[in-house]
């Protein structure tokens, strides 16, 4: 089994580090790491360090760094615009997309989103997505922590502008003729992938995205839930781009 990964604000410049706070508590109290066990440290920006536990405290660990590494950010960058979903479906989507390698997630206030993020509720909901992405990145041992954009959500007009500035924009739509498996992909820049909410993407939204340069694509004959469509599409992109 691979060593567990813990996120730190900054990697140590020396060979010793005290891992405390929430990450230290999780390592010492929840995972119960012991002296001599290996772990990974990451700053969420590509930097990593392999380390070994040298002492265990109350909710903290003392570790010694054994090696360092850096992973370049993947190119092209993949951004998923996720229509806000009801219940925990949005969080499930964030978790799965993070595990398969999404680089940025944009919460989208689609017209057919049953749940609307407004005021404090929206702030709390977005924070849940951020926490979910963080934990999923740790589980997947990702050196890069995906960004969760939005303030706290984005409008259709803002998403359209994001598509217009991207190297490629794809909109998952069940009636599209083009397949994502055969669509032309850029080698650099940013790929924006739009996933609608439970009710799908409204015609006016589809038209706005198409005008901005977004291309409707489909995955296959089945209509997937909003919580699974994004991860399925990302799996296609990860394979075609050589990430997998």
């Amino acid at each position: 089994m691979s060593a567990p990964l813990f996120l730190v604000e900054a990697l140590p410049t020396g060979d010793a580090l005290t891992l405390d706070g929430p990450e230290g508590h999780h390592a010492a109290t929840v995972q119960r790491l012991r002296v001599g066990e290996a772990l990974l440290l990451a700053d969420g920006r590509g930097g990593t360090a392999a380390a070994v536990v040298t002492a265990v405290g109350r909710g903290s660990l003392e570790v010694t760094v054994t090696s360092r590494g850096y992973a370049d950010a993947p190119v092209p960058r993949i951004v998923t615009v996720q229509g806000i979903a009801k219940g925990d479906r949005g969080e499930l989507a964030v978790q799965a997309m993070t595990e398969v390698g999404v680089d940025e997630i944009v919460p989208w206030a689609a017209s057919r989103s049953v749940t609307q993020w407004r005021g404090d509720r929206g702030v709390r909901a977005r924070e849940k997505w951020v926490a979910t992405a963080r934990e999923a990145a740790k589980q997947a041992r990702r050196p890069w922590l995906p960004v969760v954009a939005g303030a706290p959500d984005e409008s259709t007009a803002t998403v359209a502008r994001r598509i217009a500035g991207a190297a490629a924009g794809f909109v998952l739509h069940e009636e599209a003729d083009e397949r994502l498996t055969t669509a032309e992909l850029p080698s650099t820049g940013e790929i924006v992938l739009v996933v609608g909410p439970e009710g799908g993407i409204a015609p006016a939204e589809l038209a706005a995205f198409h005008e901005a340069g977004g291309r409707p694509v489909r995955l296959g004959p089945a209509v997937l839930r909003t919580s699974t469509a994004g991860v399925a599409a990302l799996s296609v992109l990860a394979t075609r781009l050589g990430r997998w």
Side-chain angles (χ1 to χ4, degrees):
M1 183 176 179
S2 60
L5 183 144
F6 300 93
L7 288 167
V8 294
E9 288 298 322
L11 293 171
T13 55
D15 294 334
L17 171 74
T18 299
L19 184 65
D20 52 15
E23 294 290 82
H25 170 78
H26 188 75
T29 306
V30 180
Q31 294 205 4
R32 298 184 179 181
L33 295 184
R34 296 293 178 256
V35 173
E37 291 192 274
L39 70 154
L40 294 172
L41 303 173
D43 59 10
R45 300 178 296 277
T48 59
V52 174
V53 179
T54 55
V56 179
R58 189 181 180 91
S60 66
L61 297 177
E62 300 294 329
V63 304
T64 296
V65 174
T66 57
S67 64
R68 301 173 186 273
Y70 180 80
D72 291 328
V75 178
R77 193 166 182 267
I78 303 177
V79 178
T80 299
V81 175
Q82 174 66 52
I84 295 172
K86 64 181 179 181
D88 63 352
R89 291 179 184 174
E91 291 167 45
L92 290 173
V94 169
Q95 178 183 29
M97 290 190 296
T98 298
E99 290 177 2
V100 300
V102 72
D103 299 303
E104 182 176 347
I105 301 169
V106 179
W108 170 38
S111 63
R112 292 178 177 173
S113 290
V114 175
T115 300
Q116 298 293 322
W117 289 3
R118 294 291 182 269
D120 291 342
R121 178 183 182 181
V123 173
R124 291 192 300 269
R126 181 183 176 279
E127 287 175 349
K128 283 186 178 181
W129 281 28
V130 172
T132 299
R134 179 183 176 89
E135 291 307 309
K138 290 168 57 179
Q139 176 66 34
R141 277 61 163 181
R142 287 190 56 179
W144 283 88
L145 186 63
V147 175
V148 178
D153 55 359
E154 297 289 4
S155 67
T156 297
T158 302
V159 172
R161 287 195 293 270
R162 187 68 179 266
I163 291 172
F170 299 109
V171 184
L172 294 184
H173 196 275
E174 61 195 71
E175 297 179 0
D177 294 323
E178 186 177 15
R179 290 179 177 268
L180 185 58
T181 52
T182 57
E184 184 178 356
L185 302 180
S187 58
T188 60
E190 188 171 272
I191 296 174
V192 175
L193 175 72
V194 180
V195 182
E198 293 94 330
I201 298 174
E205 294 167 334
L206 186 62
F209 296 152
H210 180 72
E211 185 177 351
R215 293 152 57 187
V217 294
R218 62 188 176 95
L219 295 169
V223 178
L224 304 181
R225 289 181 178 271
T226 187
S227 56
T228 55
V231 68
L234 284 166
S235 298
V236 171
L237 292 175
T239 302
R240 294 193 59 200
L241 293 170
R243 293 194 181 191
W244 287 8

